[in-house]
Amino acid sequence: AVQGHTPLVLVHEKDLDRGGAPLNELHGDCPIELCAEVFDKHLLHEIINWYRQIDFQAVALKAIASSMFQASPKYAKVDAPQLYIPGELCNQRLELVTDVTIYVSDKFNP
């Protein structure tokens, strides 16, 4: 991908039980000649975290699709289209079913 100047979308699996690793470990394992292209270039962009909970996966999938749109010539200089997944948590009205009391301490909030 680097040699062919193919845009990259970095997705980070944090779960060690599923083959994930800390990001700094992955950075350290990357060949030095590729490190700048793979990691440093993406400091300007989002590295997408992958989660196993379905609602968070939907957010990650939208971020991946949006990054792919932005990498395409048609959307390179404009905003990617607004994406949604039917039934996703972001589009649902959320409300608390009981009253909530919030306490504030002057000791910790001067």
Side-chain angles (χ1 to χ4, degrees):
V2 171
Q3 290 175 349
H5 303 289
T6 303
L8 299 175
V9 176
L10 297 184
V11 180
H12 180 218
E13 168 66 74
K14 292 182 176 188
D15 189 343
L16 301 178
D17 293 333
R18 302 213 183 233
L23 199 53
N24 61 348
E25 184 178 313
L26 297 173
H27 190 278
D29 289 345
C30 186
I32 193 82
E33 64 275 7
L34 299 176
C35 209
E37 279 294 314
V38 173
F39 286 100
D40 299 342
K41 190 175 183 180
H42 282 82
L43 291 176
L44 304 174
H45 302 288
E46 178 182 18
I47 296 177
I48 301 163
N49 290 313
W50 184 254
Y51 297 99
R52 296 290 159 177
Q53 297 86 0
I54 191 72
D55 291 317
F56 295 120
Q57 282 182 349
V59 173
L61 288 171
K62 283 181 14 179
I64 292 167
S66 181
S67 294
M68 292 174 67
F69 270 113
Q70 290 174 333
S72 71
K74 182 176 180 178
Y75 294 99
K77 298 191 186 316
V78 298
D79 290 338
Q82 183 69 32
L83 304 174
Y84 75 97
I85 297 172
E88 70 180 304
L89 188 61
C90 296
N91 291 332
Q92 294 179 17
R93 180 182 164 93
L94 303 176
E95 60 184 74
L96 298 168
V97 294
T98 61
D99 292 338
V100 174
T101 303
I102 299 175
Y103 296 95
V104 178
S105 169
D106 290 338
K107 180 177 179 182
F108 297 106
N109 297 310

